[in-house]
Amino acid sequence: MRYDLFANPRAVASIPAEAEQGSSPIDYHRTVPGYQPTPLLDAPRIAQALGVARVLVKDESTRLGLPSFKMLGASWATAFAVRREWLGGIEESLSPEQLRQRIPDAGAKRLVAATDGNHGRGVARMAKLMGVACNIFVPAGTAASRIADIEVEGAEVIVVDGSYDDAILRSAEEADDNTIVVSDTSWEGYSAIPREVGHGYSTMFREIDQALAANGATAPSVVAFQAGVGSFAAAGLVHYRSDAATTPPRTVIVEPLRANCLLASARAGAITEAPPPHDSTMAGLNCGLPSQLAWPIIDRTADVFVAIDDDAADVAMRAYAESGIVAGESGAASLGGLLAIVRSGHADARAAAGLLPDATVLLINTEWATDPVNYEAVVGTSPQRVQGESDTRRQAAGVVQL
């Protein structure tokens, strides 16, 4: 397993907490069909592999009826955008069904997004719930299974001859009075909607806090986030490194070696592009440029950046499977980064990442196996079989749900 590590000299202990305005994302998400809190799992076998006291895994492999956490951001941001663009800017939080009932001339309306898979599927699901059309732009080389999953939601998928960043540029061209672009990355003149995508992710961190409090468990001392453009990582960093946090944890960002735009930017001290090709199997993380909105947060609050090869993600997928957790390539990346550090035997790298014997590590499995063919090639069995054997595997590995 190859990895590159950079310790961030600009990281600060805390940043000002964001004031919550209007209804909270978790209250809104309770109105979305299929809502229930996702599991927070105590995974002792993974803790043993990392040489730490405890590993907690927030398992987002099923969220609001989809196999990824992305629906949290897509649903909240879409609701915000529809209220702002098509309903006159009303502040009242409305459920997807209420939005469907109020959208004028819904047959002429359309949602658009660019994606490597999960975000686009979330936007497509919201379009279906609200009765509007949807176009999703994907980069060349996107797995056929990911395209098929988006099409199942009723969206038209358009393959762009280029990278994820090219798909972003193409999707931005579609914006007009009847078309809303729902992107999870920001660019010049476009930040309000991706800001709300990040806010939508706060629901999972609220659920983690509630589960820990209900079980009398201590907060994590290390939190690792996998990252593409950085929206998800920034949301987690805001939660765990704001001045409202009691004891800020050590924070680690994990990316693919072949799409390490955040590590490259941290090393350069400014937003820096990771040149293509972005061809890691961690498809949801194959991004060449950081989000302009997320980067200032990440730059100030990420302690360590780690970029890993696909072998590290593969090892993490198998480790999760042994504990009865189905994790796709991107979902396993944060664990892959920590395992790469531990297996390298470099004590200074372990210390930088906070992997001490008494540490409590929080990981988020952000997706199910969205490329089942590659999953079976890596893990040696199908994700359906791992899922079907999850109770047996978890019992054997000592996994419990908090």
Side-chain angles (χ1 to χ4, degrees), residues 201-225:
Y201 298 150
S202 68
T203 288
M204 80 171 73
F205 301 113
R206 289 283 189 91
E207 291 174 356
I208 291 168
D209 290 346
Q210 291 167 0
L212 291 175
N215 286 274
T218 57
S221 57
V222 178
V223 184
F225 304 103

Side-chain angles (χ1 to χ4, degrees), residues 159-171:
V159 179
V160 175
D161 185 15
S163 67
Y164 169 76
D165 300 285
D166 294 317
I168 287 284
L169 292 173
R170 179 66 184 83
S171 69

Side-chain angles (χ1 to χ4, degrees), residues 264-283:
S265 298
R267 191 166 271 156
I271 286 182
T272 301
E273 181 178 9
H278 307 135
D279 55 359
S280 166
T281 59
M282 294 170 273

Side-chain angles (χ1 to χ4, degrees), residues 67-68 115-122 124 136 138-139 141-153 155 157 159 279-286 317 327-331 367-375:
S68 163
T115 191
D116 283 311
N118 292 321
H119 173 72
R121 189 174 182 185
I136 301 296
V138 301
T142 298
S145 59
R146 293 188 175 106
I147 292 175
D149 286 340
I150 296 169
E151 291 175 334
V152 163
E153 304 298 335
V157 178
V159 179
D279 55 359
S280 166
T281 59
M282 294 170 273
L285 311 181
N286 278 334
M317 290 166 67
E329 299 83 1
S330 297
E367 65 169 11
W368 203 71
T370 55
D371 186 349
V373 173
N374 188 61
Y375 184 92

Side-chain angles (χ1 to χ4, degrees), residues 228-362:
V229 298
S231 299
F232 161 65
L237 289 165
V238 165
H239 184 84
Y240 287 105
R241 293 297 280 268
S242 74
D243 56 18
T246 51
T247 305
R250 194 75 175 160
T251 54
V252 182
I253 302 295
V254 181
E255 304 170 275
L257 272 170
R258 297 196 291 269
N260 61 344
C261 60
L262 296 173
L263 186 151
S265 298
R267 191 166 271 156
I271 286 182
T272 301
E273 181 178 9
H278 307 135
D279 55 359
S280 166
T281 59
M282 294 170 273
L285 311 181
N286 278 334
C287 305
L289 275 171
S291 165
Q292 292 184 10
L293 193 65
W295 171 245
I297 297 168
I298 293 170
D299 186 43
R300 295 180 65 202
T301 56
D303 292 312
V304 174
F305 295 83
V306 182
I308 58 172
D309 63 10
D310 289 349
D311 288 345
D314 292 349
V315 170
M317 290 166 67
R318 291 191 286 268
Y320 272 133
E322 289 173 1
S323 290
I325 301 168
V326 177
E329 299 83 1
S330 297
S334 56
L335 174 57
L338 301 188
L339 286 171
I341 290 171
V342 169
R343 294 193 179 190
S344 73
H346 295 150
D348 55 345
R350 282 190 66 110
L355 298 176
L356 306 176
D358 61 348
T360 293
V361 177
L362 173 65

Side-chain angles (χ1 to χ4, degrees), residues 1 32 48 51 57 59 94 129 138 148 184 186 215 219 279 292 296 322 352-353:
M1 296 187 288
V32 179
Q48 184 178 23
V57 180
D59 187 9
L94 301 173
L129 289 173
V138 301
D184 60 354
S186 59
N215 286 274
D279 55 359
Q292 292 184 10
E322 289 173 1

